[in-house]
Structure formats: structure tokens, C-alpha cells
Amino acid sequence: MTTNGSPAVVRFDGELDVSRKDELRSTLQSALQAHSVLLDLAGVTYADSTALVELLHFCTDLKESDVPVALLIETPQFARLIKYAGLDQVFAVFDNRDEALAYLAAQA
Amino acid sequence: MTKPSELRVRKKAQPRAAGLLRHALDAFLRSNGIDPDTRIDIITAVGEALANSIEHAYAPNKIGHVELRARITDVEPRISVDIIDGGRFISRLPQPHRGFGFRIIRTAARTMRIDTSAGTAIRLEFDSARA
């Protein structure tokens, strides 16, 4: 995690399913004090709604503190999951790292 | 019409079973030539049903089983998947945010039927073009 200008980057890889709920929750909690967060999920090959719920809680908590958060998602299953859950307008989702960073910089 | 292709896998309903059952299903779908786009929808919908079974089917001190049965035929809907556990469905409904899981299933699958006469059996059906 970095501070002073650049966003905190929280990265997850592999399959984010029910078996990783506790890990996901505790890792996200460690980023709650950041002033800006890039959730780097580019390497997530599968996610389910238990992961979505953890991400939603995290993003909601940050939003209440006016902390911008961007999700970097590059795999089709994860992008589809968010759309099917009706959350594509709730999360700031990007499929390109530069665009995600530009969004966060513009929110600062 | 050729003989239907079938898969049957049963695991203890614990968190790592979700991935094992999804991987078994994905390998089965691949070996039957199901296209990648359809596979994503199937794995997404079935993954939700599995996560629901594993999280809510049984009391914390009681480990039951979850079973996956998949069948591919030549006629639409070509693919059907059953997710079966010995738990009670009604008691799980009030869980906060479970709505996402069923919303996802309803969007990804063509049909969803729930049979709670003995445990909980969810049947999902999907269409597919051959790859």
C-alpha cells in the first residue's frame, strides 16, 4: 500500500469465492484508512456473490468517508457477475489500469 | 440423437468444495464442446447455488454434503445442472444480500426450479450452441 498522492493498491488474484471470504474481508479492512483506493482485480479468474458483498461493504464504507475507489477488472466472468448482480452502476469499474488511475486522480 | 453425457460429483459441504465442483463442471462442459461464453454463464450461476448451499444449508456444527449433477443432451435446453443438498431452503431466505445470488442465477440461467421436498434441489437449465 502507498500513500501521499498515489492511491493504495489492493490486489487479489485467482478465484474469489466463498472459501476466501475471511481473507477478502480482512485485507479490505486494512485499506479502510486510505485516501484513495485502486482495487486491482485484473487477475481474478472467478468471483461469486460472497466476494461481491464484501467488495460492496468496502466501497460503501469508503464512499461514506468520501474516499474514491476504482475496480480494475479484466476477466469476462467477473465483469459479467457485476452486471448480472445489477451493480455495474454502483461500482466504478475499469478494464484498463491507466483509466482507473486517471479516474482516481480526477476525484482527488 | 446420441446418448446424453452426464456428470455426478458429491463433496462435503465445506468452502473449498465450491471450487472443486466448479472445476469438475467446467472440465465436463469443455470436454463436451460447450462454448466459452455459455460456460461462463453456467459456472457463474452454478457457483452461486453452490456458495448458497455451502454457506447456509447446514448448521455450523453439522457437515452435510452437496451434490452436483449435470447432463448434456442434443435438444434445447441442452444443459441441465442440479445442485442438491440436505439442508432447508426456507431458513436461508432472510440472509442479507442473498438476493444478489438469486438475481445472478436468474440472469445467467434460462430456467431455475427449486424443489424443497427433501433437502434443497436447485435445477438450472441453459441453452448452448456447439462450439
Side-chain angles (χ1 to χ4, degrees), chain B residues 4-81:
Chain B
S5 186
E6 292 185 333
L7 170 77
R8 233 180 222 230
V9 201
R10 189 166 179 263
K11 297 277 177 201
K12 276 188 181 163
Q14 49 197 17
R16 66 189 175 88
L20 296 172
L21 292 167
R22 286 197 312 272
H23 297 163
L25 178 61
D26 198 45
F28 171 74
L29 297 171
R30 278 172 188 268
S31 70
N32 280 276
I34 303 301
D35 65 283
D37 199 56
T38 303
R39 286 207 315 270
I40 290 177
D41 274 352
I42 296 173
I43 294 299
T44 299
V46 172
E48 290 303 321
L50 290 171
N52 189 58
S53 281
I54 287 163
E55 277 208 300
H56 304 297
Y58 299 102
N61 56 349
K62 184 175 175 268
I63 290 282
H65 288 84
V66 58
E67 182 172 329
L68 181 77
R69 296 180 194 167
R71 182 182 164 97
I72 300 176
T73 64
D74 281 346
V75 288
E76 300 290 355
R78 290 193 50 224
I79 304 151
S80 77
V81 184

Side-chain angles (χ1 to χ4, degrees), chain A residues 26-107:
Chain A
S26 61
T27 305
L28 290 173
Q29 266 171 0
S30 70
L32 278 175
Q33 303 307 315
H35 62 91
S36 168
V37 178
L38 174 65
L39 278 176
D40 180 350
L41 307 168
V44 172
T45 53
Y46 169 85
D48 70 16
S49 65
T50 57
L52 272 189
V53 167
E54 296 303 325
L55 293 172
L56 186 61
H57 284 153
F58 177 71
C59 291
T60 306
D61 286 350
L62 290 185
K63 203 171 185 178
E64 281 171 6
S65 325
D66 286 324
V67 174
V69 54
L71 278 65
L72 177 62
I73 293 176
E74 296 183 357
T75 49
Q77 190 273 339
F78 203 169
R80 215 179 280 190
L81 182 86
I82 288 176
K83 197 170 131 227
Y84 288 179
L87 293 172
D88 45 341
Q89 301 302 314
V90 175
F91 293 127
V93 179
F94 299 88
D95 60 7
N96 175 299
R97 192 180 185 91
D98 290 339
E99 285 175 15
L101 290 172
Y103 164 82
L104 292 173
Q107 302 289 312

Side-chain angles (χ1 to χ4, degrees), chain A residues 13-28:
Chain A
D13 291 298
E15 299 190 309
L16 275 188
D17 73 0
V18 58
S19 69
R20 292 177 67 190
K21 191 168 75 169
D22 295 344
E23 172 208 336
L24 185 59
R25 183 175 298 177
S26 61
T27 305
L28 290 173

